[in-house]
Amino acid sequence: MNDGGFSRIDLKESENNIYLYSLKMIHLLEQFHGGSAMFFSRVGGLGSRHLLFSFMLCTACEVGSSQVHYSVLEEAKHGTFVGRIAQDLGLEVGELVSKLFQVVSKGRRDYLEVNGQNGVLFVNSRIDREELCGRSLVCSIHLEVIVDKPLQVFHVEVDIKDINDNPPVFPVKEQKLFISESRLPDSRFPLEGASDPDIGTNALLTYSLSTNDYFILDVKSKNEQDKLVELVLRKPLDREEVPEHHLILTVTDGGKPELTGTVQLLITVLDVNDNAPTFERSEYEVKILENAARGTLVIQLNASDADEGINGEIVYSFNSLASPLINDKFQINPDTGEISIQRYLDFEDINSYKFRVDATDKGNPPMVGHCTIRVDVEDTNDNAPELSVTSLSLPVREDAPPGTVIALISVSDRDSGANGLVTCFLSPPSPFTLVSTFRNYYSLVLEGSVDRESMSVYELVVTARDGGSPALWTSASVMVGIADVNDNAPAFEQTSYTLFVKENNPPGSHIFTVSASDPDAEENALVSYSLVERQVGERPLSSYVSVHLESGKVYVLQPLDHEEIELLQFQVSARDSGVPSLSSNVSLQVFVLDENDNPPVVLPPHSGVSPVTELVSQSVAVGHVVAKIRAVDADSGYNAWLSYELLPEVSVGHRPFRVGLYTGEISTTRTLDESDGPRQTLLVLVKDHGEPTLKATATVTMSLAAIGQTFQGSSVTSRDFEKSGVGQKVLMNVNVYLIIAICSVSSLLVLSLLLYVAIRCSSPSQSFCGPGKSTPVCSNTVRSWSYSHQQRQKICSGEGPAKNDLMAFSPNLPPCPSSQVAEQAEHMQNVGKLDVEDRQDPAHLHPGPSAVILTFATGIQ
């Protein structure tokens, strides 16, 4: 026993095995030498037996001294120990690498692998014995161990031991039987048995039937694997009492643990016609050559029925449970019972067919007799040898030394006997040769030197010929190339690409595909893609985009925000798989396009829930600005262009107030009087010009106050603001405020007008209003931009209504001419289609008998 609990057996396992082996050899000698070897078998006594043992021991050592056997259970886990192959072959573990130690499995997947450091053979992948060898009693994997310096080949056989990993399975989930009520007790009805792909004890099946009063189960065993399962009637059936019987047939295998399978039995009781047809035998066996022509007679069946007339007329057919393969390969004459070949039979695919034939009479109800047909297909030499070439050292470096193993070649023939014996040879003459390593195994070995400059590729032909009559042969070409180096880097079609992506994209969106080509071959041309990582702000680039390793598809990992990133620049690297690898980069510029995803936001003081009170005299002139709604939009372009309107829409003649379309200024449309009532509520709608349009609202509640009433609440008059001295500070920053306002505009007309007014207001010839009077400057009529309520300022630009989006006070300068501002406003209205309203100088606002108190509340739509 070895370390893993598996046995290692060679040809010197025991004296008894050698003795049996010697008897086989004597039998062969008798065949070849006409019985001259009978001397050994007839010599009696212990001495002759030792003499024979010594002779055959030497022969066995010469034949199989290099062969090692192991065994392992199927379904063993990866890494399961199989054997110390290097130690068992007498190899030094330290010399495995230098001797180019290699293990090759013929025509199989890499089920087994060898640790090149310690020479231990272990399980590499899942081994399914049933998949590997079917129901064959012997299942093994043949390995070739090849070492160099000097070249040696060892052969290892690993037997795959069966475990009980497959439950028995019936061919169908439900078997239907039709039984006449006139059938007598002890009548038998064959059932389709189960099959178990395991072997040995694991495939020994035991059947049992569910408890019932009418049927019992009878199982006849021809051998351990072939059992006839029959249903036996215990007592007469009565269709009028029980028309149908539902039973469960259970099968259990002999493995540990036991596995079971079940099938439903649906038995339908028929009436009258009480004699079923019977065959001469219950089972027939037939042998036929695999090359038999279509229509060849397989067997002539003959069944008889004791009934007379139509009840005795018989129709032959394949059983309903017969597989489609039976109906494809054979045909049956329903009147004569002749079974003939319908399609070509192939011994190598299936060498035996077993099926049931039914003989049904024409009675009412019909009765059925059954028999089993077994057709054994005999082999002919109809398969040419098959070649399998396994490359080990392709392409070959031109400095490879003689004796290098280039490839392993295995030959096989699906035929049996002499038809399957194969010989192999190589052509044309070349620096390579075939070396026989084991039965039907060859190694393609470098015999001389090669020079890539003189010949870069050798085209060799391997021919395999079988021993049939006539002989069949197969050729295979082996292209042996001379290896080169990796000298070309991947290349993109362009050095850079420009992309446009809308913001708020779905996460994982595919935005582009980069592609690079490499003129090298095989691994040197296998290109993989990756990001050239860098920081984007405080975050890594890989948090924004990713590149598929193989396809080069570029994905955006998260929604992009135009307000956060307008341009994303990065590089993608393409690298081949050569050694050493080569790479190149391509630049991508991703422009993030704006979408209307931000609604307008009303700015303080009107954005809060607390009301803001403003006092306005009842005697204010028409067009006087009583309040201003300020709002901003985080988007850009048309998505950030805001407009204002009052809701609900009513006639201006019935409403004393209006709102500037683009300024948000609430002004009077007529003179206020007591008929307007003590309180009015206005709903101001702020919306942008994006698609779809986003909105916000502000609610204004206006109350009439008695003349002479003092101001209450949080409102601040322009006169109070002048007294505070803040106007002088704001005047210093007027140009800064104008620049901020200009940046929020997307119209050059408004930009020109603002610059013009700013110059006029800051000129020495135009003085600012004094403490008793303040005059407003023109505001941004395209998009509203404002500062906090506590810092509202006014700039004088002429005689007109005040605009509160950008205002500053100066108590030292005289007022600006109002006529020029009026002309500018009229020009803006005609050219830019802007809503410029007439204003009243806010300096005219003095505390009087009555005033208007404004309270604001905002909402977003």
Side-chain angles (χ1 to χ4, degrees):
M1 299 295 291
N2 55 23
D3 294 344
F6 299 96
S7 61
R8 179 176 65 88
I9 311 168
D10 57 23
L11 293 181
K12 299 179 293 182
E13 180 179 356
S14 68
E15 178 180 335
N16 290 331
N17 288 343
I18 295 301
Y19 182 73
L20 293 176
Y21 174 79
S22 64
L23 292 179
K24 295 180 181 178
M25 292 298 297
I26 290 172
H27 180 68
L28 292 176
L29 290 173
E30 289 178 350
Q31 293 179 343
F32 283 97
H33 299 285
S36 59
M38 291 298 294
F39 165 77
F40 292 95
S41 63
R42 296 186 181 135
V43 176
L46 181 61
S48 59
R49 183 177 180 182
H50 281 293
L51 176 61
L52 178 60
F53 172 78
S54 302
F55 171 76
M56 297 312 302
L57 178 61
C58 297
T59 304
C61 292
E62 293 175 359
V63 173
S65 60
S66 61
Q67 186 169 358
V68 177
H69 285 223
Y70 298 100
S71 64
V72 65
L73 294 178
E74 67 171 331
E75 306 292 347
K77 295 182 179 180
H78 172 76
T80 299
F81 175 86
V82 177
R84 301 184 183 277
I85 188 170
Q87 177 179 338
D88 295 340
L89 292 175
L91 302 176
E92 292 295 332
V93 175
E95 297 179 357
L96 295 181
V97 176
S98 62
K99 284 182 174 290
L100 302 179
F101 182 86
Q102 302 176 68
V103 175
V104 179
S105 175
K106 178 243 177 181
R108 308 285 189 185
R109 295 193 319 224
D110 294 330
Y111 294 111
L112 303 172
E113 187 60 73
V114 174
N115 187 324
Q117 301 299 323
N118 55 24
V120 171
L121 182 66
F122 62 90
V123 175
N124 183 48
S125 61
R126 174 180 174 265
I127 303 176
D128 187 351
R129 188 187 189 282
E130 290 71 30
E131 176 184 351
L132 191 64
C133 302
R135 295 187 58 84
S136 176
L137 294 178
V138 178
C139 182
S140 61
I141 298 176
H142 176 75
L143 304 176
E144 277 191 342
V145 179
I146 302 173
V147 295
D148 203 351
K149 302 176 182 179
L151 176 63
Q152 291 180 291
V153 179
F154 302 91
H155 301 280
V156 178
E157 291 286 340
V158 180
D159 293 331
I160 309 303
K161 300 299 182 182
D162 183 55
I163 64 173
N164 191 29
D165 59 338
N166 292 282
V169 178
F170 288 94
V172 294
K173 294 182 178 180
E174 182 181 78
Q175 294 188 29
K176 297 181 179 180
L177 288 84
F178 300 89
I179 303 176
S180 173
E181 66 176 346
S182 61
R183 295 299 293 267
L184 300 176
D186 296 329
S187 296
R188 295 175 176 271
F189 308 95
L191 300 176
E192 193 70 16
S195 61
D196 192 324
D198 294 322
I199 64 171
T201 305
N202 297 330
L204 294 180
L205 303 183
T206 303
Y207 295 86
S208 61
L209 187 66
S210 59
T211 304
N212 67 96
D213 297 331
Y214 291 90
F215 298 94
I216 60 174
L217 196 65
D218 185 21
V219 180
K220 296 180 179 180
S221 300
K222 295 183 62 178
N223 52 55
E224 292 183 351
Q225 302 297 332
D226 193 0
K227 295 184 178 181
L228 178 62
V229 183
E230 292 182 323
L231 200 63
V232 181
L233 184 62
R234 298 176 59 185
K235 65 179 184 178
L237 299 173
D238 187 354
R239 189 187 67 83
E240 288 72 21
E241 180 181 351
V242 182
E244 288 185 346
H245 296 266
H246 297 269
L247 305 177
I248 296 179
L249 178 60
T250 303
V251 60
T252 305
D253 63 24
K256 296 296 181 181
E258 296 178 346
L259 300 179
T260 62
T262 60
V263 63
Q264 297 284 339
L265 301 181
L266 175 58
I267 302 173
T268 302
V269 182
L270 305 178
D271 206 1
V272 298
N273 191 25
D274 56 349
N275 286 289
T278 59
F279 290 91
E280 297 175 353
R281 289 187 292 174
S282 61
E283 184 171 347
Y284 298 85
E285 293 185 1
V286 183
K287 297 184 183 296
I288 191 167
L289 292 176
E290 65 175 341
N291 59 357
R294 178 180 178 182
T296 300
L297 178 65
V298 177
I299 191 173
Q300 168 78 59
L301 296 177
N302 185 24
S304 60
D305 195 320
D307 295 326
E308 296 180 353
I310 193 171
N311 292 332
E313 295 180 6
I314 298 174
V315 177
Y316 298 90
S317 63
F318 293 123
N319 187 268
S320 60
L321 296 179
S323 67
L325 179 64
I326 300 301
N327 290 278
D328 181 63
K329 296 292 186 181
F330 303 94
Q331 62 183 359
I332 186 170
N333 189 312
D335 298 323
T336 64
E338 294 180 353
I339 299 177
S340 58
I341 294 177
Q342 184 171 248
R343 282 190 183 275
Y344 175 75
L345 302 180
D346 191 357
F347 171 85
E348 287 71 31
D349 290 338
I350 300 177
N351 58 17
S352 179
Y353 298 86
K354 187 176 181 180
F355 53 90
R356 284 183 13 210
V357 173
D358 295 341
T360 307
D361 63 24
K362 296 182 179 180
N364 187 18
M367 299 191 70
V368 182
H370 312 275
C371 74
T372 301
I373 308 296
R374 179 184 180 91
V375 179
D376 294 327
V377 182
E378 297 183 340
D379 181 53
T380 61
N381 189 29
D382 60 340
N383 291 281
E386 295 178 356
L387 280 170
S388 176
V389 180
T390 304
S391 298
L392 294 180
S393 304
L394 293 179
V396 180
R397 297 181 63 89
E398 60 180 342
D399 58 350
T404 300
V405 177
I406 307 303
L408 293 180
I409 300 173
S410 62
V411 293
S412 61
D413 195 317
R414 299 178 65 192
D415 294 324
S416 59
N419 298 330
L421 296 178
V422 182
T423 57
C424 192
F425 55 91
L426 181 69
S427 64
S430 65
F432 303 92
T433 186
L434 283 179
V435 177
S436 178
T437 59
F438 191 63
R439 182 181 62 251
N440 292 341
Y441 287 89
Y442 297 85
S443 293
L444 181 61
V445 179
L446 180 62
E447 190 176 39
S449 60
V450 292
D451 185 5
R452 180 184 177 275
E453 286 67 28
S454 60
M455 181 173 292
S456 60
V457 177
Y458 290 88
E459 184 173 355
L460 306 177
V461 177
V462 180
T463 303
R465 185 185 303 273
D466 66 21
S469 180
L472 300 177
W473 57 274
T474 300
S475 296
S477 295
V478 179
M479 306 294 292
V480 180
I482 308 304
D484 209 343
V485 295
N486 182 31
D487 57 348
N488 290 283
F492 293 92
E493 295 180 359
Q494 298 178 210
T495 59
S496 63
Y497 296 89
T498 300
L499 314 176
F500 297 90
V501 179
K502 289 184 178 182
E503 69 173 340
N504 300 322
N505 55 282
S509 299
H510 171 221
I511 61 172
F512 191 66
T513 300
V514 295
S515 178
S517 59
D518 193 323
D520 292 327
E522 298 179 355
E523 291 80 10
N524 296 333
L526 185 61
V527 179
S528 60
Y529 303 91
S530 62
L531 282 177
V532 178
E533 187 64 270
R534 68 177 184 86
Q535 290 293 116
V536 179
E538 297 181 357
R539 300 171 58 184
L541 174 64
S542 56
S543 64
Y544 290 92
V545 294
S546 69
V547 178
H548 191 274
L549 180 67
E550 297 176 359
S551 66
K553 291 184 177 181
V554 181
Y555 299 92
V556 179
L557 301 180
Q558 61 182 9
L560 298 177
D561 189 355
H562 173 79
E563 289 71 31
E564 178 185 354
I565 299 177
E566 295 184 2
L567 174 61
L568 184 62
Q569 294 179 312
F570 57 92
Q571 288 187 329
V572 175
S573 174
R575 182 177 298 275
D576 63 26
S577 300
V579 178
S581 61
L582 302 176
S583 65
S584 61
N585 297 342
V586 65
S587 298
L588 274 72
Q589 294 182 338
V590 180
F591 287 89
V592 182
L593 304 180
D594 183 60
E595 287 189 321
N596 191 26
D597 57 341
N598 292 283
V601 177
V602 178
L603 296 178
H606 310 129
S607 61
V609 296
S610 300
V612 177
T613 303
E614 293 284 349
L615 182 61
V616 180
S617 173
Q618 187 178 13
S619 62
V620 295
V622 175
H624 179 74
V625 176
V626 296
K628 179 175 178 66
I629 305 301
R630 298 173 177 83
V632 295
D633 195 318
D635 295 321
S636 61
Y638 276 89
N639 296 330
W641 184 12
L642 304 181
S643 61
Y644 304 80
E645 62 183 68
L646 288 178
L647 294 177
E649 292 291 338
V650 298
S651 174
V652 175
H654 297 82
R655 188 172 59 189
F657 300 96
R658 60 172 295 193
V659 64
L661 180 61
Y662 297 107
T663 63
E665 296 175 344
I666 300 176
S667 59
T668 58
T669 60
R670 56 180 173 79
T671 304
L672 301 174
D673 52 36
E674 294 182 357
S675 65
D676 293 326
R679 180 182 298 273
Q680 289 197 14
T681 301
L682 300 179
L683 180 63
V684 179
L685 175 67
V686 185
K687 62 181 181 179
D688 58 27
H689 288 71
E691 288 294 337
T693 301
L694 301 179
K695 305 172 183 179
T697 59
T699 303
V700 182
T701 302
M702 306 190 329
S703 300
L704 292 177
I707 298 176
Q709 182 177 355
T710 59
F711 287 88
Q712 302 292 334
S714 61
S715 61
V716 181
T717 65
S718 62
R719 191 179 304 277
D720 297 334
F721 193 85
E722 292 175 15
K723 292 180 180 180
S724 66
V726 178
Q728 295 179 354
K729 298 180 181 179
V730 174
L731 182 60
M732 298 174 61
N733 297 325
V734 64
N735 291 333
V736 177
Y737 298 149
L738 286 174
I739 292 173
I740 295 174
I742 291 169
C743 292
S744 66
V745 199
S746 57
S747 171
L748 293 177
L749 173 63
V750 179
L751 174 63
S752 302
L753 181 59
L754 286 173
L755 291 175
Y756 178 79
V757 174
I759 295 173
R760 290 290 305 271
C761 290
S762 60
S763 171
S765 62
Q766 299 182 12
S767 59
F768 280 78
C769 304
K773 183 178 181 180
S774 61
T775 308
V777 70
C778 308
S779 68
N780 170 14
T781 60
V782 176
R783 179 181 179 184
S784 176
W785 181 276
S786 65
Y787 298 95
S788 67
H789 179 70
Q790 289 76 10
Q791 295 179 352
R792 288 186 298 171
Q793 303 161 354
K794 299 180 181 179
I795 300 177
C796 175
S797 64
E799 298 178 3
K803 297 186 177 182
N804 298 331
D805 59 341
L806 182 62
M807 296 180 287
F809 280 107
S810 173
N812 300 323
L813 300 176
C816 304
S818 62
S819 60
Q820 296 180 0
V821 175
E823 292 175 2
Q824 296 294 336
E826 181 179 0
H827 177 69
M828 179 184 296
Q829 183 175 8
N830 294 334
V831 179
K833 305 301 180 180
L834 306 177
D835 183 16
V836 179
E837 307 166 337
D838 295 332
R839 313 290 188 197
Q840 180 178 349
D841 190 342
H844 297 163
L845 180 61
H846 300 286
S850 63
V852 179
I853 300 175
L854 306 181
T855 304
F856 298 91
T858 62
I860 297 177
Q861 292 182 346

